[in-house]
Amino acid sequence: MQQARDLFAAESAQVEWFASRKYDGVRAIWDGKQLTTKQGNRIFAPQSFLRQLPDFPVDGELWLATKQFHRVNKMVLASLNNQVGYPNLWSKVQYLVFDVPKTDGNLLQRLHRLQLFLKQTQPKQLKIIAQHRIGSYRQLQSFYQSVLELGGEGIILRDAGRKHQVGRLNNVFKIKPKLEAECTVTGYVPGKGRLLNRVGALRCELLPSQKPRLFPKLAIESATEIRLGSGLSDQQRLQPPKIGSVVTFQYQGHTRTGLPRFAVFLRERFSAMQADNLQIQ
């Protein structure tokens, strides 16, 4: 929240801030004809789902319910191999849209185009994420707490007056109790004492693609290793994520050198085979 406090102190008078709940879903981009992941891999969703989407691009999250990310992620991964995975789950998932790319105007003007479409077609699984105008840091705090009380994992703060941006965004900020990032498992640290004959920690390499946004002090071209010991269950210490798999970890800010502080293992995001097929890096 310190970054948000600084933003309001520095430029709140010049910026039109809007905040929305951050949903724990899987990012999905619709180009008007195909649904893809943020890496550009095609998601083969059922036609019954795709028929609800507009003939223009939208960007959002495939979401099932709070703390159900793992189910949606499994569904999407199964739907990348030229076949529809988990069709029953697809009938329940919602596509929650937060922006309308390739449409002129500011955020509200872009979303208005989709609002007209929803009014005309009334699809069951396509919705717009509610945007709330934020006029002060105190108002932001209140909204943030209300989202956490509902089970949300945080909020997204946007400068709504700008046109849609492609690539690294400097007008969108995630605010969460703890930050998250991904890394690739490269090896293991043997356990000692109670953890003898088990994995004490995962050796992991930060993803170069995430460094400019999450770890700007670190050189992109140099490998950066961290170790994840906290957060592993006893079962995961016996059967840890395989080398080459991509795992998600939580952290609390940065060290003076730019490394993630207090990194804790959270979950396996992609298996080694999936990470290789998706070219995660």
Side-chain angles (χ1 to χ4, degrees):
M1 290 291 282
Q2 181 60 47
Q3 183 183 30
R5 184 195 296 271
D6 294 342
L7 288 170
F8 275 89
E11 53 183 357
S12 59
Q14 294 78 34
V15 177
E16 188 176 19
W17 294 113
F18 274 75
S20 60
R21 173 177 170 176
K22 184 183 185 305
Y23 288 87
D24 50 344
V26 174
R27 176 85 174 275
I29 302 170
W30 172 251
D31 67 0
K33 295 182 180 179
Q34 291 186 352
L35 195 65
T36 64
T37 65
K38 63 181 180 181
Q39 290 86 17
N41 298 287
R42 185 176 177 183
I43 301 173
F44 289 86
Q47 287 301 312
S48 58
F49 180 86
L50 297 178
R51 281 195 294 267
Q52 301 178 58
L53 307 187
D55 60 357
F56 52 85
V58 293
D59 196 351
E61 300 272 342
L62 294 171
W63 184 77
L64 183 62
T66 301
K67 300 187 185 303
Q68 294 296 310
F69 168 84
H70 63 288
R71 296 181 66 194
V72 180
N73 190 50
K74 185 179 294 186
M75 176 194 77
V76 170
L77 290 174
S79 302
L80 296 178
N81 299 318
N82 201 24
Q83 60 182 357
V84 176
Y86 299 88
N88 292 335
L89 201 56
W90 272 109
S91 67
K92 300 175 183 177
V93 77
Q94 297 180 47
Y95 189 20
L96 306 180
V97 174
F98 54 73
D99 209 339
V100 182
K102 299 185 179 180
T103 295
D104 294 334
N106 60 32
L107 176 63
L108 297 186
Q109 291 169 334
R110 297 194 300 271
L111 290 175
H112 182 65
R113 183 182 185 186
L114 182 58
Q115 288 173 336
L116 294 176
F117 174 81
L118 296 180
K119 186 176 181 180
Q120 294 171 352
T121 62
Q122 298 184 350
K124 295 181 179 180
Q125 294 174 268
L126 178 64
K127 296 182 180 179
I128 297 175
I129 296 177
Q131 300 291 330
H132 302 266
R133 189 187 300 273
I134 302 295
S136 67
Y137 178 68
R138 179 175 295 182
Q139 188 177 0
L140 179 69
Q141 283 182 306
S142 177
F143 178 67
Y144 175 67
Q145 291 300 323
S146 67
V147 168
L148 295 184
E149 289 171 3
L150 290 173
E153 63 171 17
I155 63 175
I156 304 293
L157 184 66
R158 289 181 172 84
D159 176 358
R162 298 198 191 185
K163 296 180 180 180
H164 180 264
Q165 291 184 332
V166 178
R168 185 183 178 187
L169 305 179
N170 57 14
N171 65 331
V172 178
F173 303 91
K174 296 180 183 179
I175 303 175
K176 302 168 61 176
K178 292 183 179 179
L179 302 170
E180 291 183 11
E182 277 76 44
C183 59
T184 302
V185 178
T186 58
Y188 312 105
V189 177
K192 299 179 181 179
R194 185 184 74 83
L195 301 179
L196 190 64
N197 298 322
R198 301 182 184 183
V199 169
L202 305 177
R203 293 182 183 271
C204 295
E205 189 174 301
L206 297 180
L207 299 184
S209 61
Q210 290 188 349
K211 285 183 178 180
R213 179 169 55 89
L214 301 180
F215 310 106
K217 286 188 177 181
L218 303 179
I220 300 176
E221 63 276 7
S222 301
T224 305
E225 182 183 279
I226 63 171
R227 297 185 180 186
L228 300 178
S230 299
L232 292 170
S233 67
D234 287 344
Q235 182 61 36
Q236 288 167 333
R237 294 183 187 279
L238 288 171
Q239 296 178 308
K242 294 182 178 180
I243 292 176
S245 61
V246 173
V247 301
T248 301
F249 65 93
Q250 287 184 334
Y251 63 103
Q252 300 178 39
H254 305 86
T255 66
R256 285 184 296 176
T257 58
L259 290 169
R261 185 191 300 274
F262 305 131
V264 177
F265 173 85
L266 190 60
R267 69 176 79 92
E268 180 176 325
R269 181 70 187 271
F270 301 108
S271 68
M273 182 178 296
Q274 291 166 344
D276 183 58
N277 292 337
L278 297 175
Q279 298 182 333
I280 305 296
Q281 56 183 329

